[in-house]
């Protein structure tokens, strides 16, 4: 792995993952073939908004690793670790905080928006930790000196913040420790929620990767379809139907035929949902088998995480030695 260029990314462990994450995990698996990849559970980041509810944090970070492995990550081709197990992240975050202008944090586009969104839910997240989460994110990234970071387009301001921090650190201490990481954008199609809104845990409009066959059936049969279609023989409008959108992901070969039949009133929503239920369950069957293996062999999972923590810690110690030398600490 060490001969390859390096990249890194993480996910906040706020609960089990869903079908919307599946293609991201598959993309990470592809990147793991070409890069030395570090994937981490961002459990400290989860605390920035869930500081009053940490009871499930340990279980959640374990479950997210099982989801990754079940959905396609190969532990032999990447490093999987927990952010909070690598204490150097906290040290680098602290040192970076000494040189970061407050205005840089206040101008991050997502800050005010998320503060307002949580305020609508009656929660105040105007804490030091939440204001500084882009800096913690920068420390997470730069700790491993990667050439790139797989991100969604809405995360671009955080990557630019990270690059700007690199330039400031290098200027202040006349060093060149960190590469300026580039954003790596994928062309992953976005799966809508089961109600045709953006998929979100707060909307409960998702299907978990760990869902049972009955849970999948329940979610599919509750999906939003064409509200104007009363009878089976009424012409349908597939383009506004969540079921049709999901067929495009899990039943692509049959989707054109279903589209024509729907528009002609030759197939009912019930039959369409039945076909989709079968396809999603067929897709999830091997995922469930892998999940069952790791749940039945916890020592295997422990070893994977321990090995990933060791690899991450080794690189983090190298980085911090260079940072302390540059800062004359």
């Amino acid at each position: 792995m060490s001969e390859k260029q390096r990249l890194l990314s993480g996910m906040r462990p706020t609960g089990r993952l869903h079908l919307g994450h599946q293609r991201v995990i598959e993309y990470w698996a592809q990147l793991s073939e070409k890069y030395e990849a570090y994937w981490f559970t961002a459990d400290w980041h989860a605390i920035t908004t869930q500081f009053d509810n940490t009871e499930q944090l340990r279980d959640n970070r374990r479950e997210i690793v099982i989801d990754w492995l079940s959905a396609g990550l190969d532990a032999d081709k990447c490093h999987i670790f927990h952010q909070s197990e690598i204490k150097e992240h906290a040290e680098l975050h602290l040192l970076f905080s000494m040189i970061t202008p407050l205005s840089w944090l206040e101008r991050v586009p997502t800050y005010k928006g998320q503060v307002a969104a949580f305020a609508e839910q009656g929660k105040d997240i105007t804490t030091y930790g939440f204001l500084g989460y882009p800096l913690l994110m920068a420390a997470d990234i730069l700790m491993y000196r990667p050439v790139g970071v797989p991100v969604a387009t809405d995360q671009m301001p955080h990557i630019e913040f990270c690059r700007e921090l690199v330039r400031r650190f290098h200027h202040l201490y006349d060093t060149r420790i960190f590469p300026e990481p580039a954003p790596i954008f994928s062309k992953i199609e976005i799966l809508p929620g089961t109600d045709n809104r953006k998929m979100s845990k707060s909307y409960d409009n998702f299907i978990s990767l760990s869902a049972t066959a009955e849970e999948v059936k329940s979610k599919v049969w509750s999906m939003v379809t064409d509200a104007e279609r009363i009878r089976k023989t009424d012409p349908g409008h597939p383009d506004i139907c969540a079921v049709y959108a999901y067929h495009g992901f899990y039943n692509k070969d049959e989707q054109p035929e279903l589209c024509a039949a729907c528009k002609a009133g030759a197939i009912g929503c019930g039959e369409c949902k039945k076909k989709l239920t079968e396809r999603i369950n067929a897709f999830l069957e091997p995922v469930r088998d892998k999940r069952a293996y790791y749940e039945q062999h916890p020592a295997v999972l422990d070893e994977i995480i321990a090995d990933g923590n060791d690899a991450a810690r080794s690189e983090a110690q190298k980085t911090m030695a260079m940072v302390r030398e540059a800062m004359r600490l």
Side-chain angles (χ1 to χ4, degrees), residues 284-303:
L284 284 178
E285 199 56 42
V287 177
R288 294 185 187 116
D289 289 344
K290 289 182 180 179
R291 166 169 279 279
Y293 171 80
Y294 289 110
E295 289 177 338
Q296 294 164 14
H297 299 84
V300 175
L301 186 66
D302 291 340
E303 184 176 359

Side-chain angles (χ1 to χ4, degrees), residues 170-185:
H170 287 172
H171 173 73
L172 285 173
Y173 300 109
D174 191 24
T175 188
R176 290 293 181 272
I177 295 175
F178 306 109
E180 292 188 23
I184 300 176
F185 300 118

Side-chain angles (χ1 to χ4, degrees), residues 149-265:
V149 184
V151 291
T153 54
D154 63 350
Q155 294 291 307
M156 185 58 200
H158 296 129
I159 302 303
E160 187 50 45
F161 176 95
C162 183
R163 292 165 63 87
E164 195 170 5
L165 180 63
V166 168
R167 294 190 287 270
R168 181 170 174 81
F169 186 91
H170 287 172
H171 173 73
L172 285 173
Y173 300 109
D174 191 24
T175 188
R176 290 293 181 272
I177 295 175
F178 306 109
E180 292 188 23
I184 300 176
F185 300 118
S186 70
K187 296 181 179 180
I188 298 172
E189 295 179 80
I190 304 299
L191 184 69
T194 55
D195 57 2
N196 247 344
R197 292 185 291 178
K198 178 181 178 181
M199 189 177 293
S200 170
K201 291 179 182 177
S202 62
Y203 295 152
D204 191 28
N205 61 352
F206 61 90
I207 298 174
S208 298
L209 287 171
S210 56
T212 65
E214 282 303 311
E215 288 170 340
V216 169
K217 180 179 178 180
S218 176
K219 283 286 189 176
V220 172
W221 283 83
S222 69
M223 276 186 174
V224 173
T225 55
D226 183 354
E228 296 181 2
R229 194 176 187 203
I230 308 301
R231 296 175 294 275
K232 173 182 175 180
T233 54
D234 291 340
H237 303 85
D239 292 340
I240 63 171
C241 174
V243 177
Y244 176 72
Y246 273 68
H247 273 293
F249 282 81
Y250 298 101
N251 192 13
K252 192 176 289 289
D253 291 344
E254 199 175 1
Q255 190 193 34
E257 179 183 336
L258 292 172
C259 177
C262 178
K263 289 181 177 180

Side-chain angles (χ1 to χ4, degrees), residues 11-22 24-25 28 60 63-69 71 199 201 206-211 284 287 291:
M11 291 185 188
R12 300 195 329 157
T14 56
R16 290 186 178 183
L17 302 184
H18 50 65
L19 290 179
H21 295 106
Q22 172 246 326
V24 176
I25 299 170
W28 280 12
N60 285 346
E63 291 296 334
I64 202 175
V65 172
I66 294 177
D67 280 333
W68 289 348
L69 296 170
M199 189 177 293
K201 291 179 182 177
F206 61 90
I207 298 174
S208 298
L209 287 171
S210 56
L284 284 178
V287 177
R291 166 169 279 279

Side-chain angles (χ1 to χ4, degrees), residues 21-129:
H21 295 106
Q22 172 246 326
R23 294 201 172 195
V24 176
I25 299 170
E26 290 179 348
Y27 182 56
W28 280 12
Q30 294 170 13
L31 292 174
S32 297
E33 298 283 347
K34 300 187 293 184
Y35 294 89
E36 181 185 11
Y38 287 77
W39 313 121
F40 70 98
T41 64
D43 47 355
W44 278 341
H45 280 291
I47 299 174
T48 61
T49 56
Q50 295 187 349
F51 49 81
D52 56 345
N53 182 22
T54 59
E55 293 181 0
Q56 300 299 317
L57 192 56
R58 289 181 181 176
D59 288 341
N60 285 346
R61 70 179 192 176
R62 190 175 181 84
E63 291 296 334
I64 202 175
V65 172
I66 294 177
D67 280 333
W68 289 348
L69 296 170
S70 301
L73 279 192
D74 184 341
D76 291 330
K77 297 180 180 180
C78 62
H79 306 296
I80 297 172
F81 69 98
H82 295 318
Q83 176 191 33
S84 64
E85 296 295 327
I86 315 303
K87 306 308 180 187
E88 288 80 2
H89 284 234
E91 181 182 4
L92 187 56
H93 175 223
L94 173 66
L95 294 177
F96 279 162
S97 73
M98 305 301 181
I99 69 169
T100 303
L102 186 60
S103 61
W104 286 18
L105 295 168
E106 292 173 332
R107 76 188 186 202
V108 173
T110 54
Y111 175 69
K112 291 182 179 179
Q114 291 195 44
V115 167
F118 275 90
E120 290 178 359
Q121 302 171 27
K123 186 170 185 177
D124 181 3
I125 60 169
T126 54
T127 62
Y128 170 78

